[in-house]
Amino acid sequence: MLTLQQINSDPELIIKRLAVKHFDGREPIMRVVELDKERRALQKQRDDNAMVLNRMASEIGILMKSGEREKAEQAKQQVAALKTANKEIDERLAQAEASITEVLLSVPNVPYEGVPEGRTAEDNIVELTGGTIPDLGNDALPHWELARKYGIIDFDLGVKITGAGFPVYIGKGARLQRALIQFFLDEAGKAGYVEVEPPYVVNEASGIGTGQLPDKEGQMYHCQVDNFYLIPTAEVPVTNMYRDEIIPLEQMPKKNCAYSACFRREAGSYGKDVRGLNRLHQFDKVEIVRIERPEDSYAALEEMKSHVRGLLEKLGLPWHILRLCGGDMSFTSAITFDFEVYSAAQGRWLEVSSVSNFETYQANRLHCRYRGEDRKPHLCHTLNGSALALPRIMAALLENNQTAEGIVVPECLRRYTGFDIID
């Protein structure tokens, strides 16, 4: 969430920047300003009372030693009255702080100055394009037909076992899926990311820490008995590893990668846009997460973009990078770049990665700090990115690499799959 320092330093600028996300921030931001004034006044009163109490404690001791018991009793009564007043002040302070937090949790992150204005995905800016779109002719099959033809993914069986959006990978399909996961993890390891294997369920505090709660309850699977949530991405448990931590300067930055299944209540219309692997309720993903000093985070963001781009180039997929406009960005992000690959049989671009810098927004929720050269704790910047999400990568690989003989496996995956072609 936004910090009080950010808001108090220039509330009008915060309101103006929030408008880029098409969020009307005037009422909540000014509400925070007023609540913080109240909080600071109460805190000053509390501190002043504490000074008086300390002074009177010494005075009572002197009066008792000098035998002035009547004056000492009067002083004790004043102390008791101040302590009673302090209890009321503490209650009002707690209420003011809770109200501030409640309002701040409802306010999205301020977009970075480089975020373009715009309302929908159509307003995103194509920043860079690479790879060659294959010419498959008019007989190319979409991946759901290829999956049926070669017996590598069974969507109907997933419906039988669970429901729509839970496919079953079979034989070479399962091997290819596992090969992609291992390839992504190995490449992340080469880039200096330390692999972790996190839980697939998190508590409410973890969801709040990374911003999934209270913004995205409807998209998350909730285990009500335990009040746990199935993770929508490994970003949630991995970033929460650093909740309530002060990281020593010599241990910065933190770079982690993790494979996980991801669970999302994806709502959408019927048709090709959600058919097959295009939109699932359960899918696999390798995530990269970084905890950085603020002055280093945008260089780290560029490194993450280069890493994702390198994966797509090794897979031989046509790709482009989109700089998201304010209206298409997530609640928590300061800036986001989406990577899309071209699905030749469907004739459309498919999102396979989002790489984002959250600046201090998540760190403030998480109380994630590092100890600077001044030996004081400072809020970190948090970043994450998909490297990569598997379903649409799989869809594009199947479609773009189909031949009369079968589906050709990219060279970089063959040592993991143990076969060159799906036939």
Side-chain angles (χ1 to χ4, degrees):
M1 59 190 175
L2 301 179
T3 66
L4 292 176
Q5 182 180 3
Q6 281 177 292
I7 292 172
N8 287 325
S9 63
D10 195 341
E12 290 297 330
L13 178 60
I14 297 295
I15 293 167
K16 180 180 178 181
R17 292 304 301 159
L18 286 172
V20 175
K21 282 192 171 181
H22 304 280
F23 180 85
D24 185 357
R26 180 162 298 280
E27 181 178 346
I29 293 301
M30 298 316 296
R31 174 68 173 151
V32 169
V33 170
E34 291 304 314
L35 285 168
D36 191 46
K37 286 180 182 177
E38 178 186 345
R39 181 194 65 82
R40 283 182 288 165
L42 288 168
Q43 187 62 58
K44 184 178 185 307
Q45 189 176 352
R46 184 70 172 77
D47 293 343
D48 290 345
N49 285 355
M51 291 176 61
V52 173
L53 286 170
N54 287 335
R55 187 183 74 243
M56 292 189 72
S58 299
E59 290 177 357
I60 289 170
I62 295 171
L63 289 170
M64 293 292 288
K65 286 180 180 179
S66 63
E68 298 183 70
R69 292 186 175 275
E70 185 176 346
K71 289 184 178 180
E73 288 300 322
Q74 291 175 352
K76 287 180 180 179
Q77 291 175 10
Q78 293 177 25
V79 166
L82 279 173
K83 287 183 176 179
T84 300
N86 275 352
K87 287 183 180 179
E88 182 183 346
I89 291 172
D90 287 343
E91 291 175 359
R92 292 172 63 191
L93 259 175
Q95 185 177 13
E97 289 170 351
S99 296
I100 289 170
T101 299
E102 182 180 5
V103 176
L104 287 177
L105 286 175
S106 71
V107 178
N109 198 1
V110 174
Y112 179 68
E113 60 186 11
V115 171
E117 294 186 9
R119 287 188 174 274
T120 69
E122 294 180 356
D123 300 316
N124 295 334
I125 296 174
V126 177
E127 190 171 83
L128 198 63
T129 300
T132 302
I133 296 175
D135 182 8
L136 301 178
N138 298 325
D139 297 328
L141 299 177
H143 68 272
W144 53 87
E145 293 187 20
L146 291 169
R148 186 184 301 275
K149 177 180 179 180
Y150 293 105
I152 55 176
I153 307 172
D154 195 322
F155 296 100
D156 294 334
L157 187 55
V159 172
K160 173 184 175 181
I161 296 169
T162 309
F166 295 89
V168 177
Y169 298 85
I170 298 172
K172 288 187 175 181
R175 291 282 295 275
L176 181 57
Q177 180 88 343
R178 183 153 47 90
L180 282 164
I181 293 166
Q182 193 60 59
F183 170 62
F184 295 152
L185 286 172
D186 285 352
E187 291 297 302
K190 292 175 186 176
Y193 292 91
V194 176
E195 183 180 350
V196 297
E197 186 174 341
Y200 289 1
V201 294
V202 293
N203 56 32
E204 187 176 40
S206 293
I208 291 171
T210 46
Q212 278 67 35
L213 300 175
D215 180 49
K216 296 184 176 67
E217 296 99 327
Q219 297 180 28
M220 298 177 73
Y221 285 96
H222 186 201
C223 308
Q224 294 184 354
V225 173
D226 305 294
N227 198 27
F228 290 157
Y229 292 84
L230 274 65
I231 61 171
T233 165
E235 165 204 344
V236 182
V238 175
T239 311
N240 270 278
M241 288 165 48
Y242 304 101
R243 174 156 47 94
D244 298 322
E245 297 289 330
I246 300 177
I247 304 169
L249 183 62
E250 60 272 16
Q251 294 183 19
M252 292 288 285
K254 293 289 186 180
K255 298 174 63 176
N256 292 111
C257 66
Y259 156 73
S260 79
C262 304
F263 305 88
R264 298 182 187 180
R265 294 181 183 274
E266 295 279 13
S269 59
Y270 295 97
K272 68 176 183 178
D273 289 355
V274 298
R275 193 169 180 183
L277 298 172
N278 288 343
R279 184 172 295 173
L280 301 178
H281 294 302
Q282 176 184 323
F283 61 94
D284 293 323
K285 182 155 68 82
V286 172
E287 190 81 358
I288 52 176
V289 174
R290 295 179 70 146
I291 312 294
E292 295 278 351
R293 297 188 306 169
E295 58 265 37
D296 299 329
S297 72
Y298 276 90
L301 181 66
E302 292 303 314
E303 286 182 19
M304 295 170 75
K305 289 165 59 182
S306 295
H307 177 74
V308 174
R309 173 183 169 180
L311 296 177
L312 297 176
E313 289 175 342
K314 288 178 181 179
L315 290 171
L317 293 171
W319 55 268
H320 66 205
I321 306 174
L322 300 174
R323 182 186 290 254
L324 297 196
C325 68
D328 199 33
M329 285 172 58
S330 74
F331 187 86
T332 52
S333 175
I335 188 168
T336 296
F337 295 89
D338 274 4
F339 286 74
E340 296 183 336
V341 297
Y342 193 76
S343 174
Q346 297 180 69
R348 57 191 290 256
W349 291 94
L350 304 175
E351 179 195 334
V352 295
S353 175
S354 286
V355 181
S356 301
N357 190 342
F358 303 93
E359 297 187 353
T360 61
Y361 190 85
Q362 287 182 331
N364 192 32
R365 289 175 173 233
L366 295 159
H367 303 118
C368 172
R369 296 167 291 173
Y370 72 98
R371 197 169 297 282
E373 294 178 354
D374 59 2
R375 308 308 301 164
K376 295 179 181 179
H378 302 274
L379 286 174
C380 302
H381 277 195
T382 64
L383 306 92
N384 68 54
S386 311
L388 288 160
L390 272 74
R392 294 169 186 166
I393 289 289
M394 178 78 85
L397 286 177
L398 296 179
E399 293 181 9
N400 294 6
N401 294 330
Q402 59 183 295
T403 68
E405 290 74 32
I407 300 166
V408 178
V409 175
E411 181 69 35
C412 63
L413 298 179
R414 292 177 185 176
R415 68 187 181 98
Y416 301 105
T417 61
F419 54 84
D420 299 346
I421 194 167
I422 296 175
D423 53 15

